[in-house]
Amino acid sequence: MGDSELILCCFIACILFLGVNGENPYRYITWKVTYGDIYPLGVKQQGILINGQFPGPHIDAVTNDNLIISVYNYLNEPFLISWNGVQQRRNSWQDGVSGTNCPIRPGKNFTYVLQVKDQIGSFYYFPSLLFHKAAGGYGAIRIWSRPKIPVPFPSPAGDFTVLAGDWYKRNHYVLRRLLDSGRNLPFPDGLLINGRGWNGYTFTVDPGRTYRFRVSNIGLTTSINFRIQGHKLKLIEVEGSHTLQNTYTSFDIHLGQSCSFLVTADQIPQDYYVVASTRFTRSVLTTTAVLHYSNSKRGVSGPVPGAPTIQIAPSVMQARSIRWNLTASGPRPNPQGSYHYGLITPSRTIMLSNSAPYINGKQRYAVNGVSYVPADTPLKIADYFKIPGVFNLGSIPTWPPSGNNAYFQTSVMAANFREYVEIVFQNWEDTVQSWHIDGYSFFVVGMNGGQWTPASRSSYNLRDTVARCTTQVYPRSWTAIYMALDNVGMWNIRSENWARQYLGQQFYLRVYSPANSWRDELPIPKNALLCGRARGRHTRPF
């Protein structure tokens, strides 16, 4: 084949590829990332703003939309944004973590090109480098169903976002120095709702109407409990899955998790507390916003409604009550439950055990005895260019080793495209863990106390458990998930406790297809930033 024929074939392939996505809308977004003064707890801090906003602007998209997000970094440090819950189908190139992307250098920009392929639901974005998450730079992602695909509830009168989580008065670089010195973070100074402290944010509703509240725990270290004074919370969605519409008076939301409730304004017209408080902490932090009836002439009053604090059992029971709505459509016009996850036998079991070792006299965190250290070159880029010495497959075991020894490693676990795996998160520590897997939605089939054994499978929910991307593991307990490895790429598996993630409780899962086909994975982006040992190389001509 001559050069001209090769170019023609490549051009036709590009046209065919672009044609597949061409029917879906493109949404163009430009963000300027800057520092700015913020006062979330009444103390002046250096915050990270997006287009001058803290929190950052919402991203609104419809299933299968293509998002073109140009990010300009005006900080004095490298910067990356990741997209918590967006699956990046065939496209880990856009995941925005240190294992997949070179950072955006100060004064430079990068354009993310991603598609919310076959997804609906409530998610968020956040800065993934250098403990920037403690300074802001986060915001909500709302992915709406296509107009012709029905949702299992009437259209609400309004759609509210609640970004809640713990916060420190110290600037992010001070917290980072604490961690780098081998110490842990202190207890947080407070909680925020949408970037504001006590009664600092108001949600206005009309009497008798029903509203959707999308709640995400975007904090650093603690689970929260969410509730609205005098009102019921009807759960309708968890991280992209429609759920059975159980009703709760309060709801636990663990680090990194997102969910949606319907709330009906069916009380006496006045103002009511919207409350978030810490869970499983001896000292309980609480903050409030205001639910304001549009015809209210009376402000909030009475005590802030209480909720469980350190009790584990109610939280476990609540977690088990979350079930998939098997008759509802997901992003496509077919029932969510048509995928019979429980009838498939996993090809292998992976057990992941968290620990808090001291290595060289400093506090670290580990998975299966390995404390992750970032490489000098993003793993995905090193894999593409076949650069040796950046990482080794098998550098983290698939089962916890005996003993308490731990070591540093750029840990990458090998997996094959289209495997169906069982992953067990085993937690022998006295704190709640929260685990997230990029690129996937998985089925939380079981959770219980003590040591997981093969006999534990008898308690699995193999019919209607929910599919999500972040799951909690209670103290001295286990949580098991089933996951179909149907998304080729280099995917981050991490603790959503940001101090633990920063100090090594994470690794990467390399899901590999030998076909080297665009059908399985998109090519390296033409605009991909190259750094480390990939500096000076070239991506592709078109």
Side-chain angles (χ1 to χ4, degrees):
M1 181 181 291
D3 290 345
S4 60
E5 291 173 302
L6 178 62
I7 292 173
L8 178 61
C9 287
C10 291
F11 177 76
I12 292 172
C14 285
I15 293 298
L16 291 173
F17 168 69
L18 292 173
V20 171
N21 289 313
E23 64 187 33
N24 299 302
Y26 282 76
R27 297 178 187 263
Y28 294 88
I29 299 169
T30 299
W31 283 349
K32 294 182 179 180
V33 181
T34 60
Y35 289 125
D37 292 339
I38 58 175
Y39 301 82
L41 292 177
V43 175
K44 180 179 176 181
Q45 292 178 256
Q46 184 187 69
I48 293 178
L49 313 180
I50 297 180
N51 291 352
Q53 299 178 40
F54 168 71
H58 296 345
I59 293 178
D60 282 299
V62 175
T63 301
N64 288 357
D65 278 359
N66 298 283
L67 303 177
I68 315 299
I69 305 173
S70 297
V71 178
Y72 290 80
N73 178 17
Y74 292 102
L75 309 183
N76 58 6
E77 295 182 307
F79 186 77
L80 273 179
I81 285 184
S82 190
W83 323 92
N84 215 69
V86 177
Q87 292 178 16
Q88 310 286 5
R89 304 298 300 178
R90 303 184 298 140
N91 198 17
S92 66
W93 302 108
Q94 307 291 339
D95 203 29
V97 289
S98 65
T100 58
N101 295 80
C102 293
I104 307 169
R105 289 177 294 157
K108 302 297 182 180
N109 75 292
F110 177 71
T111 299
Y112 292 88
V113 180
L114 53 98
Q115 185 183 28
V116 289
K117 177 69 174 171
D118 289 338
Q119 285 193 265
I120 57 167
S122 309
F123 310 99
Y124 65 91
Y125 61 86
F126 68 96
S128 62
L129 293 182
L130 298 176
F131 223 67
H132 285 153
K133 191 178 180 185
Y138 55 76
I141 301 173
R142 304 185 296 190
I143 307 177
W144 306 80
S145 296
R146 289 179 171 184
K148 294 183 179 180
I149 297 180
V151 295
F153 49 86
S155 181
D159 194 291
F160 296 123
T161 292
V162 182
L163 299 174
D166 53 31
W167 190 260
Y168 290 87
K169 293 180 179 178
R170 304 185 202 189
N171 285 317
H172 70 281
Y173 48 83
V174 176
L175 299 176
R176 189 169 76 223
R177 284 201 295 265
L178 275 176
L179 295 172
D180 289 340
S181 70
R183 291 178 286 171
N184 205 342
L185 295 183
F187 192 65
D189 296 304
L191 296 180
L192 303 181
I193 292 178
N194 291 348
R196 300 180 185 180
W198 199 272
N199 288 349
Y201 196 91
T202 299
F203 304 94
T204 300
V205 297
D206 293 327
R209 306 190 77 179
T210 298
Y211 296 82
R212 181 174 184 168
F213 281 76
R214 302 174 188 254
V215 189
S216 297
N217 183 345
I218 46 75
L220 300 173
T221 64
T222 59
S223 300
I224 62 171
N225 181 273
F226 178 77
R227 53 205 183 272
I228 299 179
Q229 181 185 22
H231 293 73
K232 301 294 186 183
L233 307 174
K234 182 182 286 187
L235 184 69
I236 58 170
E237 176 251 336
V238 168
E239 291 160 25
S241 294
H242 292 306
T243 64
L244 290 185
Q245 295 177 15
N246 297 328
T247 299
Y248 305 88
T249 56
S250 69
F251 199 82
D252 290 344
I253 305 171
H254 305 276
L255 287 164
Q257 293 184 341
S258 301
C259 51
S260 290
F261 306 99
L262 292 181
V263 177
T264 301
D266 55 2
Q267 300 299 303
I268 297 171
Q270 62 177 61
D271 291 357
Y272 295 87
Y273 288 115
V274 178
V275 190
S277 59
T278 56
R279 275 291 259 132
F280 320 116
T281 59
R282 292 288 175 182
S283 176
V284 178
L285 297 174
T286 301
T287 195
T288 61
V290 176
L291 183 73
H292 170 70
Y293 278 57
S294 59
N295 61 341
S296 168
K297 296 181 180 179
R298 180 183 175 189
V300 290
S301 62
V304 173
T309 54
I310 62 172
Q311 303 92 334
I312 298 292
S315 188
V316 175
M317 292 177 63
Q318 187 178 83
R320 289 174 175 165
S321 73
I322 303 172
R323 302 297 180 92
W324 233 16
N325 186 336
L326 299 182
T327 62
S329 295
R332 295 179 179 180
N334 59 290
Q336 294 179 134
S338 62
Y339 180 72
H340 298 293
Y341 69 92
L343 301 179
I344 305 171
T345 302
S347 56
R348 64 168 167 155
T349 298
I350 299 168
M351 179 176 281
L352 303 175
S353 179
N354 48 276
S355 60
Y358 278 80
I359 303 177
N360 299 333
K362 293 185 176 182
Q363 176 70 72
R364 295 288 298 189
Y365 296 97
V367 187
N368 288 359
V370 185
S371 186
Y372 181 83
V373 289
D376 60 6
T377 306
L379 311 179
K380 182 63 185 170
I381 291 174
D383 200 25
Y384 174 79
F385 287 114
K386 296 180 171 56
I387 300 172
V390 176
F391 70 90
N392 293 310
L393 293 174
S395 47
I396 178 173
T398 59
W399 206 262
S402 59
N404 297 318
N405 293 331
Y407 57 90
F408 292 122
Q409 185 62 260
T410 302
S411 37
V412 180
M413 187 179 292
N416 294 318
F417 184 41
R418 296 202 173 101
E419 273 190 287
Y420 192 70
V421 298
E422 174 186 46
I423 299 178
V424 178
F425 298 102
Q426 180 71 62
N427 176 21
W428 284 116
E429 298 186 69
D430 292 326
T431 56
V432 176
Q433 303 293 311
S434 190
W435 287 92
H436 176 87
I437 301 180
D438 281 354
Y440 286 94
S441 185
F442 49 74
F443 296 95
V444 184
V445 294
M447 57 179 63
N448 212 334
Q451 172 69 52
W452 181 92
T453 68
S456 303
R457 295 183 179 122
S458 65
S459 66
Y460 283 4
N461 177 356
L462 299 181
R463 182 177 182 272
D464 63 350
T465 192
V466 74
R468 64 188 314 167
C469 59
T470 309
T471 187
Q472 72 273 28
V473 191
Y474 292 100
R476 300 190 174 277
S477 301
W478 57 265
T479 294
I481 67 172
Y482 281 178
M483 188 166 75
L485 301 184
D486 57 0
N487 197 12
V488 173
M490 187 76 72
W491 302 109
N492 189 225
I493 299 181
R494 62 175 177 265
S495 171
E496 286 286 357
N497 180 308
W498 220 239
R500 298 182 77 104
Q501 177 271 351
Y502 184 83
L503 292 180
Q505 192 175 317
Q506 62 169 309
F507 69 96
Y508 284 81
L509 184 73
R510 178 186 184 253
V511 180
Y512 176 70
S513 169
N516 195 26
S517 166
W518 287 13
R519 178 196 62 194
D520 296 341
E521 183 175 30
L522 299 181
I524 187 171
K526 182 180 178 181
N527 71 328
L529 302 176
L530 301 180
C531 56
R533 298 184 222 181
R535 188 174 284 112
R537 298 177 185 248
H538 302 283
T539 55
R540 55 189 176 90
F542 50 82

